[in-house]
């Protein structure tokens, strides 16, 4: 939000400090924004692995999305709601300044905060624009590479990421007094206990779905923690 206020151009582009943009990133972004008079645009975010990808992570597209990777080859105008590869992310996105003047800024009740990876502020902002009929384009010719460190290819990273995301959803729901992104509610105590038992059994038995259950449990626990307003 401070960057939006400080910038004085007709277009505002966003990326992250662990991103390496292609040399034509700016021109590709401007070209996409000019197509069909779009209000926003974004593109591919490819991995630049700094360590070998572990076997348990390779091929898990559901986990790759939590690393802000977007690898679709299909250009498209986005539709509400953002899902899967049909999205753009904060590592590589741009908007016309006019949308901020009309629709405001990113919600500060979302986003990463200190050591907490709540996230969701870009998704909420983009969905807000899409709901109002604004045109936002995904263009695979816009390319950046995301440096992925060793600490982000561990199971503990994803468990923490799921917990923090669930916590952020619940905090957002409480702060905004409205339905959380995705329409989720905090789990009941019986459902949570059942999930804990199932996860423990599958983990001890080393079943293939153990990690998936662990991640879902982390998300549910985060939602409960956030809804209690103790996070």
């Amino acid at each position: 939000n401070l960057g939006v206020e400080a910038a004085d151009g007709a277009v505002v582009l966003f990326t992250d400090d662990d991103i390496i943009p292609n040399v034509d990133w700016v021109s590709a972004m401007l070209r996409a924004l000019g197509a069909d008079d779009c209000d926003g645009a974004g593109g591919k975010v490819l991995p630049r692995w700094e360590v070998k990808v572990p076997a348990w992570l390779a091929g898990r597209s559901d986990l790759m999305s939590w690393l802000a990777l977007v690898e679709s080859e299909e250009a498209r105008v986005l539709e509400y709601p953002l899902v899967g590869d049909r999205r753009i992310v904060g590592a590589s996105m741009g908007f016309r300044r006019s949308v901020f003047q009309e629709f405001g800024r990113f919600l500060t009740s979302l986003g990463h905060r200190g050591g907490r990876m709540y996230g969701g502020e870009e998704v909420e902002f983009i969905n807000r624009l899409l709901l109002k009929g604004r045109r936002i384009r995904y263009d695979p010719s816009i390319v950046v590479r995301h440096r992925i460190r060793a600490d982000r290819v561990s199971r503990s990273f994803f468990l923490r990421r799921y917990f923090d995301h669930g916590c952020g959803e619940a905090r957002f729901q409480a702060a905004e007094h409205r339905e959380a992104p995705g329409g989720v509610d905090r789990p009941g105590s019986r459902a949570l206990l059942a999930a804990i038992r199932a996860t423990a059994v599958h983990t001890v038995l080393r079943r293939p779905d153990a990690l998936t259950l662990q991640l879902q449990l982390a998300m549910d626990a985060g939602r409960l923690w956030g809804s209690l307003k103790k996070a």
Side-chain angles (χ1 to χ4, degrees):
N1 286 341
L2 288 174
V4 171
E5 294 172 12
D8 58 8
V11 167
V12 185
L13 306 184
F14 298 83
T15 189
D16 294 334
D17 60 358
D18 55 359
I19 293 296
I20 303 171
N22 272 16
V23 294
D24 65 345
W25 180 67
V26 173
S27 60
M29 191 75 80
L30 294 176
R31 183 171 61 250
L33 282 165
D36 301 323
D37 196 28
C38 283
D39 299 288
K44 280 186 181 179
V45 182
L46 303 177
R48 180 170 176 175
W49 304 103
E50 297 191 346
V51 294
K52 183 179 179 181
V53 182
W56 61 266
L57 178 57
R60 288 288 302 261
S61 60
D62 58 322
L63 297 184
M64 294 298 181
S65 65
W66 291 93
L67 296 172
L69 301 180
V70 186
E71 303 183 69
S72 174
E73 296 287 349
E74 181 184 349
R76 60 170 64 89
V77 174
L78 300 180
E79 298 178 352
Y80 175 86
L82 297 183
V83 292
D85 266 359
R86 299 195 295 275
R87 62 176 182 151
I88 61 174
V89 297
S92 180
M93 64 183 187
F95 301 95
R96 297 186 183 278
R97 170 174 296 283
S98 58
V99 301
F100 296 105
Q101 296 168 339
E102 184 173 353
F103 297 102
R105 305 286 192 263
F106 298 98
L107 292 183
T108 56
S109 56
L110 295 171
H112 293 194
R113 185 175 304 175
R116 293 291 189 187
M117 296 181 286
Y118 294 140
E121 72 275 28
E122 305 107 314
V123 173
E124 188 282 332
F125 182 76
I126 295 166
N127 279 335
R128 199 190 318 164
L129 300 185
L130 293 175
L131 278 171
K132 296 297 184 179
R134 296 296 179 163
R135 293 176 62 84
I136 301 176
R137 175 176 294 277
Y138 170 81
D139 188 331
S141 70
I142 304 169
V143 180
V144 303
R145 284 170 172 78
H146 184 191
R147 294 176 56 196
I148 301 177
R149 307 184 307 267
D151 63 322
R152 296 201 171 191
V153 294
S154 65
R155 289 181 174 87
S156 61
F157 168 80
F158 288 100
L159 289 167
R160 177 186 165 202
R161 188 75 177 84
Y162 271 62
F163 178 90
D164 283 355
H165 185 80
C167 183
E169 283 187 336
R171 286 169 58 92
F172 170 71
Q173 182 178 18
E176 301 295 321
H177 303 289
R178 63 183 185 183
E179 186 177 330
V184 296
D185 298 314
R186 78 180 188 184
S189 57
R190 289 185 179 179
L192 191 59
L193 287 173
I196 291 171
R197 287 194 295 269
T199 301
V201 169
H202 285 235
T203 299
V204 169
L205 296 178
R206 297 186 178 183
R207 291 181 177 172
D209 62 347
L211 178 58
T212 299
L213 292 176
Q214 292 167 16
L215 293 169
Q216 185 57 56
L217 180 59
M219 181 82 77
D220 289 342
R223 288 168 179 158
L224 178 60
W225 186 253
S227 68
L228 296 174
K229 302 181 181 179
K230 293 182 179 179

